[in-house]
Amino acid sequence: MRQVLHGDRASVRVIGSDPRGRPAGEIVEVLQRANRRIVGRLHKEHGVLFLVPEDRRIAQDILVPPAEAGRARPGQVATIELVAQPSKHAQPIGRVAEVLGDYADPGMEIEIALRKFDLPHEFSKRSLAVARALPEAVRPEDAKGRRDLRELPFVTIDGETAKDFDDAVHAVREGKGFRLRVAIADVSHYVRHGDPLDADARERGTSVYFPRRVIPMLPEKLSNGLCSLNPEVDRLAMVCDMAIAQNGKVAQYEFYPAVFRSHARLTYSGVWEMLLKKKANREIETLYECFKALIQERNRRGAIDFESVETKMEFDARGKILRIVPEPRNEAHRLIEECMLAANVCAGDFLAARGHPVLYRVHDVPAAEKVSALRDFLAELGLQLPGGDKPKPKDYAQLLERIRQRPDFMLLQTILLRSLKQAVYTPENVGHFGLAFDAYVHFTSPIRRYPDLLVHRAIKAALAGRRYEGVHWAELGKHCSETERRADDASRDVENWLKCYYMQDHVGGSYAGVVTGVTAFGLFVTLDDYFVDGLVHISELGRDYYRFDAARHHLLGERTGKRYRLADRIKVKLVRVNLESRKIDFVPA
């Protein structure tokens, strides 16, 4: 393996098998190299400078000859350009392309993640030029041919720190039901298919959210300015206008371009406080009533409702974590969520009914073997997942409701969640299992998600009696699913680094936690007070031989009969923090 790095493509010849009977091979030829630039930390030993890659999947150090080092010093973080790929007899060689600074510099973890995960973070000159040429505000000619909804008291409801506002909502009573309007920023009016802004947005696929920093999909002039639904300014929108029946069903809907203005920028916590204290105005009260109707329909449909704890990091002025705190979800979060789901479903239905190709957000039915393993596990606890070999979302939802009050609820929920597949973007509409929808697309976030921008273009084309052409849907679906995963991985990597940095000051302390992962090599534990994960290695579990049972999610001691199971409470002592490998080690306390 000396001649390849992670991601390279190679042809391999099978030469036999290893002691466990698995086929073993040797590399015949390296077909394609994946790495041109690598980020890492510079070290010097015996007068030799080398870079240790931040991506731990690249197992080889990169030699940096004195002539290629520039002004870089050992201990600094740098990006190197490979000048020689590894071979059977030689290590890879690189030249320093940029020095990012010292490892402990504030924000360095984000600079590393951008390069480690190959995230595009600088807009092209052409893209910025197009953005600069756009107007600062909506012009009278932009509003031509659009419905004028400026008098309606639309509002945006977002988190405290949000800067890009994609969606605004407005509801009124109509008979026994409601008329719900969801106005979404009309990004497609400014970002045209194939232009430089579009090329950059497509490459990024999504905005990436780090603690204290966002890498936007669109330049700031659009994402925080011209497209963002800021209060008290005219904005262009695509509106999903829905008649919601008393029971929460969408009785009818229509899409149209509009010009409107948000009358207030509200926050989730502010809205929820108004509702709790009965101080909300009529508009907010009506939105809340409409939400309660939509929730009825959600329950009738049998969408799966998992509970999760979101956390946020609080920083001091120097960018050091002060604390990690839970961020409670309230009914105002769910209110906006249900309004957005309704609009997304209407968009999916609108395009599916017209046979127009689009990227659906699909969540396929669980794999048969996962369902079978889940049933075996539940049977041991005297529980049953209804629905035979092909359970429906409603079957999952019913089981969740039945077990919600059990002390082992979090364990059971985790195992139910793990039996499901990951949602992806694809032109093949197989429905959304988790949400129990037949045709579901992402329509409500075109400032920060590329698939939503495509949905807007497809809807506009269909409204004009045309088709949105020039798109390779399957390829684009794969690309958007990959960019979404890349963004998630990068965000998680930064959060893990920050958590490790924070926990360095807590080594030696004992903490209560819960087992959130069981593997053949040990237990992953999440601490109650810090929401930080670490590993208790199997060698730390005492003098016994532990057998790992994947189906039952536990480790069982052969001699003592001691069992460690998913969701068990456990007290641990923090013994080691390794910043570079993002690893935290515990031992039982």
Side-chain angles (χ1 to χ4, degrees):
M1 291 296 285
R2 278 182 64 100
Q3 57 190 309
V4 284
L5 299 175
H6 171 74
D8 290 350
R9 291 179 74 87
S11 58
V12 171
R13 179 190 301 121
V14 177
I15 54 170
S17 54
D18 74 353
R20 285 167 60 186
R22 298 174 303 181
E26 66 179 8
I27 291 171
V28 178
E29 185 188 358
V30 182
L31 304 172
Q32 199 180 353
R33 296 289 188 180
N35 303 280
R36 198 173 57 81
R37 285 185 157 220
I38 295 172
V39 68
R41 201 166 168 186
L42 292 164
H43 295 262
K44 199 169 196 173
E45 276 177 21
H46 311 300
V48 178
L49 189 67
F50 57 93
L51 179 124
V52 177
E54 269 293 317
D55 188 342
R56 292 290 169 220
R57 295 170 304 185
I58 297 176
Q60 301 189 42
D61 298 339
I62 320 294
L63 293 178
V64 181
E68 305 289 12
R71 292 182 173 179
R73 299 188 315 274
Q76 288 183 316
V77 177
T79 305
I80 62 106
E81 215 164 70
L82 285 177
V83 293
Q85 294 279 355
S87 68
K88 265 185 185 174
H89 310 293
Q91 268 178 279
I93 297 170
R95 88 162 60 89
V96 174
E98 61 173 344
V99 175
L100 300 177
D102 290 314
Y103 199 67
D105 288 352
M108 181 55 70
E109 67 284 355
I110 294 174
E111 293 299 332
I112 289 171
L114 293 176
R115 291 153 181 84
K116 178 173 167 181
F117 293 94
D118 213 6
L119 287 166
H121 56 280
E122 286 172 354
F123 288 103
S124 67
K125 287 194 176 100
R126 290 176 63 209
S127 172
L128 291 172
V130 173
R132 271 196 304 275
L134 290 169
E136 296 298 323
V138 171
R139 300 166 303 192
E141 60 263 37
D142 295 323
K144 275 200 185 108
R146 291 173 175 266
R147 289 198 206 176
D148 190 339
L149 306 182
R150 281 177 280 209
E151 295 308 309
L152 290 178
F154 275 92
V155 294
T156 61
I157 307 176
D158 293 271
E160 267 78 3
T161 56
K163 289 192 177 70
D164 51 352
F165 309 120
D166 285 285
D167 53 88
V169 287
H170 172 253
V172 289
R173 278 271 180 196
E174 261 189 11
K176 288 185 176 174
F178 303 87
R179 181 154 182 200
L180 171 65
R181 292 183 182 92
V182 174
I184 304 298
D186 190 357
V187 177
S188 65
H189 180 81
Y190 301 107
V191 182
R192 303 299 172 95
H193 176 86
D195 78 2
L197 283 170
D198 185 47
D200 276 13
R202 186 171 60 237
E203 187 192 8
R204 291 170 181 230
T206 176
S207 294
V208 188
Y209 293 86
F210 295 114
R212 297 176 305 131
R213 185 171 166 194
V214 178
I215 307 300
M217 184 178 87
L218 299 168
E220 201 170 309
K221 179 168 179 181
L222 289 143
S223 60
N224 293 3
L226 193 54
C227 292
S228 185
L229 308 182
N230 302 327
E232 303 302 345
V233 288
D234 288 0
R235 285 291 181 254
L236 303 181
M238 280 300 288
V239 175
C240 179
D241 194 331
M242 296 166 271
I244 309 284
Q246 194 179 3
N247 62 3
K249 279 187 184 298
V250 177
Q252 60 191 79
Y253 65 83
E254 68 169 323
F255 286 91
Y256 51 80
V259 59
F260 88 111
R261 49 174 44 201
S262 161
H263 287 235
R265 181 277 200 252
L266 306 177
T267 64
Y268 296 124
S269 52
V271 168
W272 185 230
E273 200 172 319
M274 280 193 276
L275 288 165
L276 282 176
K277 292 183 175 171
K278 308 244 181 298
K279 287 185 178 172
N281 61 21
R282 195 175 76 247
E283 276 81 21
I284 298 296
E285 284 290 356
T286 307
L287 267 170
Y288 191 52
E289 294 299 320
C290 181
F291 154 70
K292 287 199 275 200
L294 290 168
I295 282 290
Q296 276 183 52
E297 163 59 11
R298 181 191 180 95
N299 294 337
R300 190 201 58 76
R301 208 174 61 241
I304 307 172
D305 240 342
F306 287 114
E307 283 178 22
S308 64
V309 178
E310 299 289 326
T311 60
K312 71 171 179 188
M313 296 175 179
E314 294 179 353
F315 297 87
D316 65 13
R318 294 198 319 278
K320 195 173 181 209
I321 296 189
L322 288 172
R323 63 189 72 85
I324 301 167
V325 294
E327 197 164 31
R329 264 169 62 82
N330 58 45
E331 296 273 90
H333 286 87
R334 299 189 71 203
L335 183 157
I336 287 298
E337 221 166 75
E338 287 303 318
C339 293
M340 296 309 118
L341 288 175
N344 285 339
V345 171
C346 291
D349 183 71
F350 180 82
L351 291 166
R354 284 156 183 77
H356 193 296
V358 72
L359 288 185
Y360 291 95
R361 178 67 169 176
V362 311
H363 185 223
D364 209 347
V365 297
E369 63 273 16
K370 287 272 180 98
V371 172
S372 170
L374 175 64
R375 288 190 187 292
D376 293 347
F377 177 78
L378 292 170
E380 291 207 2
L381 300 172
L383 291 168
Q384 193 185 357
L385 174 70
D389 289 344
K390 292 186 176 169
K392 300 257 185 311
K394 195 175 258 185
D395 301 319
Y396 273 78
Q398 281 172 1
L399 177 59
L400 271 171
E401 216 35 62
R402 270 210 313 281
I403 62 177
R404 212 169 280 281
Q405 300 310 316
R406 286 176 60 122
D408 58 356
F409 171 70
M410 289 315 283
L411 155 75
L412 295 166
Q413 175 178 263
T414 303
I415 288 163
L416 284 170
L417 191 55
R418 286 179 186 175
S419 72
L420 301 177
K421 288 187 176 171
Q422 200 172 17
V424 294
Y425 294 108
T426 168
E428 304 295 321
N429 180 25
V430 297
H432 196 294
F433 183 84
L435 295 170
F437 288 134
D438 295 332
Y440 186 69
V441 298
H442 275 167
F443 161 75
T444 54
S445 294
I447 293 176
R448 60 187 180 85
R449 284 191 308 228
Y450 194 71
D452 302 50
L453 178 54
L454 295 171
V455 167
H456 277 238
R457 289 176 183 158
I459 288 174
K460 277 188 178 174
L463 285 172
R466 296 182 292 103
R467 284 172 90 73
Y468 175 31
E469 303 288 359
V471 180
H472 193 303
W473 294 100
E475 225 167 73
L476 209 44
K478 188 166 175 282
H479 170 73
C480 290
S481 301
E482 282 167 3
T483 55
E484 178 186 41
R485 275 197 295 277
R486 176 178 72 181
D488 287 346
D489 290 346
S491 301
R492 203 176 301 117
D493 187 68
V494 165
E495 283 184 14
N496 287 343
W497 190 92
L498 286 166
K499 285 176 178 178
C500 287
Y501 191 79
Y502 176 59
M503 293 309 287
Q504 285 181 129
D505 297 340
H506 296 75
V507 172
S510 292
Y511 308 98
V514 66
V515 176
T516 48
V518 182
T519 69
F521 54 84
L523 313 167
F524 286 99
V525 175
T526 302
L527 303 184
D528 292 348
D529 297 335
Y530 297 101
F531 306 96
V532 166
D533 303 306
L535 177 72
V536 178
H537 195 269
I538 198 160
S539 59
E540 304 288 358
L541 294 179
R543 301 178 65 174
D544 199 349
Y545 180 77
Y546 282 89
R547 280 196 185 280
F548 171 55
D549 187 326
R552 293 183 177 86
H553 303 271
H554 72 206
L555 284 168
L556 187 65
E558 278 197 350
R559 196 167 47 80
T560 58
K562 183 151 181 54
R563 182 171 70 163
Y564 292 97
R565 194 173 68 162
L566 200 62
D568 277 355
R569 305 283 313 151
I570 187 171
K571 201 153 191 288
V572 292
K573 182 178 175 187
L574 174 58
V575 288
R576 259 182 314 277
V577 175
N578 186 329
L579 255 186
E580 293 185 359
S581 61
R582 321 277 193 273
K583 286 199 172 88
I584 291 174
D585 290 326
F586 300 130
V587 296

